[in-house]
Structures are given as C-alpha cells and as structure tokens.
Amino acid sequence: MGDSSAVWRGRQHVPGQLSGLAVLCLVFIPYALGHYLSCLLRTVNALLAPQLMGAAALTPAELGLLTSAYFLAFAVAQLPVGLALDRYGPRRVQFAMLLLAAFGTLAFAGGNTFGQMLAARTLMGLGLAGCFMAAVKAVSTWISPTRLPSVQGYLIAAGGLGAASATLPVRLFLQFADWRWLFVCLALACAAVGLLIFLLAPTPPAVASKRFDLRVLWDVYRHPVFRETAGLVLIPHTIFFGVQGLWIGRWLTEVGRFPEQSVAWLLYLGMAAVIFGAISVGMVTEWAARRGIDAITVAAAGIALFVAVQIGIVLGWRPGMAQLSVLFTLVGTITGIEYTIVAQAMPPALTGRASTCLNLLIFTGAFMVQAGFGQVLGLWQPDAANHYPAAAYQAAFGVLVLLQLPGLAWFAWRRRRALPRNTVESAF
C-alpha cells in the first residue's frame, strides 16, 4: 500500500521494480491515452472537412494548410520537447503539454475565420507534439528491450484506435451536436488525460543526459542505423501521415463519389485496420528476429507493398477503391517500425532526442505532403459540386509514388552490395 501511494506521488522507481500489472496501469495506459487523443485530433478533419470548409469558406489549399498546421507545430516542438523529455521525464512534460493542447482545442471550437482556426490548430499541435515521444520514452524505460517491438506496436494500435474514433463515432456524435461541441469535449479529455498522467505515472531515476548542442543531434543523425532507417522509411511515413489524415476521405468523396456515410464507414475500417496492422507489425518483427531477419528488412517488404497500393490508386482502379483505401492505412502502419529500430539502437540518454530527430523529419515532411497535395489538386478546376477530377488525384498520388522509389532502390542496392561481402566473410 505504501509503495502504491508513493507511485501516485510520482516517486522515483528503478526499472524492473514495478510489476507487469503496475506497468500496464500506471505507465502504458495513461501514456497510450495521450497518443490516442493525439491521433484522434490529427485525423478528425478528414471527416469534418465539409463542415470546416463551410464554416470558414475554405478552398482545398486552405483546408490542406489548416489541417497540416498540426504537423508543422509538431515539427517545431520536437527539439524542445525531446530535450525536456530527457531532462525532466515524460510525466511532468506530458502534464504541461496536454494542458496546452486542451487550450488550443477549445480555441479551435470557437474559431470563426481561417486565421483563428489556423492559430488554434497550431496550438493544438504544439500541445500534442510530445504524446508519442513521451509514450516511447516511458515504455522504453519500463519495458525490456526484447519486448519493445510488440509493446510499441500496441502503442501504435492505441493511436489507430484514436484515428478510428475520428470516423464513425464522430459521425454519430454529430447527429446530436455540432462539430464545435465535439472539440469542447476533446479539450476536456486532453486536460483529464494530462491530470491522469501527472497523478499515476511513476518517475524513473535520473540518467546522465548530454548537454544540448548541435553535436548531440549530429550524433543521432549520423548514426548508421538512423540513416539507413530514415533513408528507407521516412518518406513513406510522411506520406502515410499526410494522406490518411485528410486526403483519403476526399479522394473517396470526389473520385469515388461515395456518400458521406460510406466514406465514414470506409475511414473507420481503414483506421481500425491500423490497430490490427500495428500489432501485427510488432509480432512479425519479433518472429523475424528469431529467424535472423532484421527489422529493417521487414520494413522494406512492407514499404514495397505500401507503394504497390498507391500505384493501384494512380492507375485508377475504380472497382477496388474501397479496398485500396483500407489497404493504404493497413499496410502503411509498417512505417511506425522505424521508432522501434532507432530506439533499440540508441543509448538510453539519447532515446528522447532520437525520437525528436525522427519526428522533426516526419512531421515536417507530413506538413509538406498534406499541404502540397492540396496545391497539386488546385492545378485543376473543380466541377459545379466543387469536386476535383480523378486526374488531379492520380497526379498527386503519382508524385508521392515517385518520391518513395529512390529509398527502396537505395536499400535494395545496399543489401545486394553487402551480400557478396558477407558471403566472403562467412567463408573464413
């Protein structure tokens, strides 16, 4: 009883001291709830796009910029948040950040102009920028390294559940209240989860942390595992985030001509597939490791499938549009594996900054993808219903496919080049 109350006061504990049930209830669930809200708020605009466009008379380019401001705020916050996580720990950092997110979400509920909504969306993104990093930092502290792929898969699944909640459940909510009340409720949820983390989460013992300078970031960026992982997975990850959070829904509406209810159902299936995909990625990665197959090879196979799905969209395979929309999110979950690969390769004092470096690149890229996709669509003229032609979406997806091919080719070339060398070494 005394030990439990000490945990509630945030007393320091040594990793391994807490039971598995305590880690689940005091570490995983509180931080997973934060990641859940982060993904819900990141993707909710995909369903609310018609309401938001009507509320502020937004163009596709403005809608893309408004939604992607979340990613830009994420990118800006990565360096200070990563430093704070390494120095002060995830418990205190998440409490403060989620309160900021609550304020931004509440401000978004009251926004009436593009400028007001853009500023509020930016604050929202700043406040939620540390949710996944804090969860990874906490889980990496309290979970053994051999279990990290599966547990981080569960974390990503929690995010998938948040994204799924931004579809049919949100549509159901809108039958009883408008979108502004939805954001009021989400603001209260952010504040509640922040308080839950502050009250429940244990504080790990302090570890030696390097003083910040550019050389610390350089140590992360030049790490061979980081560079190989980013070279293969980074661009697909930015595309997964940037497209599934907004443009998949618009593609189904404008090209597939699916009614709103069908779009909400397909988005729900796609986001629910993220849960299955994330758990499967963790299990497959551990299974492959036991057979001598490294995680980066698993990632390469998954990304090849992810690109194949996008090629199907570019080719305009209309009978399979519903299946392609679900497969995009199901297969795209493979991109989350890069966090596990990098976390396993870095020393504990650098795990926060390693996640920071990844997120800085990922969310900057996601901002560019989400905003740039709208700019490409704007090169075409909409019809009387303000729908853009299939050719516009095919062109935008085609650009994304071309951006991913060099990373796959580079990885294949490096592995093919290394294979003869390993064969020669094994002969001696």
Side-chain angles (χ1 to χ4, degrees):
M1 183 69 178
D3 182 68
S4 176
S5 62
V7 172
W8 276 53
R9 293 194 299 269
R11 196 184 73 182
Q12 288 188 353
H13 280 72
V14 177
Q17 181 179 349
L18 298 179
S19 68
L21 181 61
V23 171
L24 173 66
C25 296
L26 304 181
V27 179
F28 181 83
I29 290 178
Y31 288 105
L33 285 173
H35 184 47
Y36 167 91
L37 286 173
S38 173
C39 290
L40 195 164
L41 284 164
R42 188 187 77 214
T43 57
V44 71
N45 282 11
L47 189 73
L48 296 179
Q51 289 89 338
L52 297 178
M53 294 180 77
L58 302 178
T59 66
E62 288 174 333
L63 177 64
L65 181 59
L66 173 66
T67 306
S68 63
Y70 187 93
F71 289 123
L72 184 60
F74 259 57
V76 169
Q78 292 313 298
L79 291 179
V81 169
L83 288 170
L85 287 173
D86 282 336
R87 178 167 297 184
Y88 303 111
R91 173 176 163 265
R92 286 181 286 180
V93 172
Q94 269 299 84
F95 174 64
M97 297 285 285
L98 283 170
L99 291 184
L100 177 62
F103 177 77
T105 307
L106 193 61
F108 193 85
N112 292 307
T113 66
F114 172 68
Q116 291 172 349
M117 296 168 73
L118 183 65
R121 179 80 174 168
T122 302
L123 276 180
M124 190 191 308
L126 286 173
L128 295 168
C131 286
F132 187 72
M133 279 196 300
V136 169
K137 181 73 174 178
V139 164
S140 299
T141 300
W142 299 100
I143 301 294
S144 66
T146 57
R147 293 287 298 154
L148 272 181
S150 288
V151 175
Q152 290 191 6
Y154 300 145
L155 258 179
I156 295 173
L161 184 60
S165 299
T167 55
L168 283 181
V170 166
R171 181 174 174 80
L172 180 63
F173 182 94
L174 294 177
Q175 295 179 8
F176 302 95
D178 69 7
W179 66 271
R180 296 185 187 275
W181 278 108
L182 171 67
F183 281 96
V184 170
C185 293
L186 291 174
L188 294 174
C190 288
V193 172
L195 186 62
L196 188 70
I197 289 174
F198 186 76
L199 293 176
L200 290 185
T203 301
V207 296
S209 179
K210 294 185 178 183
R211 285 185 62 187
F212 173 74
D213 56 41
L214 292 178
R215 287 176 296 177
V216 175
L217 295 183
W218 180 245
D219 287 343
V220 174
Y221 280 120
R222 72 192 181 105
H223 194 286
V225 174
F226 186 94
R227 286 189 287 115
E228 183 178 31
T229 305
L232 174 68
V233 188
L234 176 63
I235 292 178
H237 204 156
T238 65
I239 289 168
F240 175 63
F241 274 3
V243 173
Q244 64 101 12
L246 178 63
W247 296 116
I248 280 290
R250 301 308 299 160
W251 174 69
L252 288 169
T253 299
E254 298 189 359
V255 179
R257 304 299 171 125
F258 288 92
E260 283 191 20
Q261 185 174 358
S262 298
V263 170
W265 172 245
L266 288 171
L267 290 177
Y268 173 78
L269 288 179
M271 301 311 177
V274 171
I275 303 171
F276 174 78
I279 295 173
S280 298
V281 167
M283 294 174 64
V284 169
T285 303
E286 291 186 4
W287 175 87
R290 291 194 295 270
R291 286 156 179 78
I293 303 172
D294 56 3
I296 193 73
T297 302
V298 175
I303 288 166
L305 289 174
F306 186 51
V307 173
V309 171
Q310 295 168 66
I311 291 175
I313 295 175
V314 173
L315 294 177
W317 186 38
R318 189 171 291 271
M321 288 187 69
Q323 293 87 337
L324 288 173
S325 69
V326 176
L327 285 173
F328 183 90
T329 50
L330 173 64
V331 181
T333 56
I334 189 67
T335 58
I337 199 174
E338 62 184 328
Y339 289 105
T340 299
I341 299 171
V342 171
Q344 288 178 326
M346 294 290 170
L350 284 179
T351 55
R353 262 162 271 194
S355 295
T356 291
C357 293
L358 266 180
N359 283 343
L360 180 63
L361 296 174
I362 290 168
F363 293 120
T364 301
F367 164 76
M368 296 171 67
V369 167
Q370 202 164 75
F373 201 103
Q375 295 291 338
V376 173
L377 294 185
L379 298 176
W380 277 259
Q381 289 295 323
D383 60 17
N386 205 31
H387 289 170
Y388 285 78
Y393 282 90
Q394 288 175 296
F397 276 107
V399 171
L400 299 183
V401 168
L402 292 177
L403 289 175
Q404 294 166 91
L405 293 180
L408 276 172
W410 175 251
F411 175 82
W413 180 79
R414 281 172 58 87
R415 285 303 168 101
R416 183 182 179 88
R417 183 182 173 192
L419 185 60
R421 184 186 311 148
N422 292 338
T423 304
V424 171
E425 290 176 354
S426 64
F428 294 92

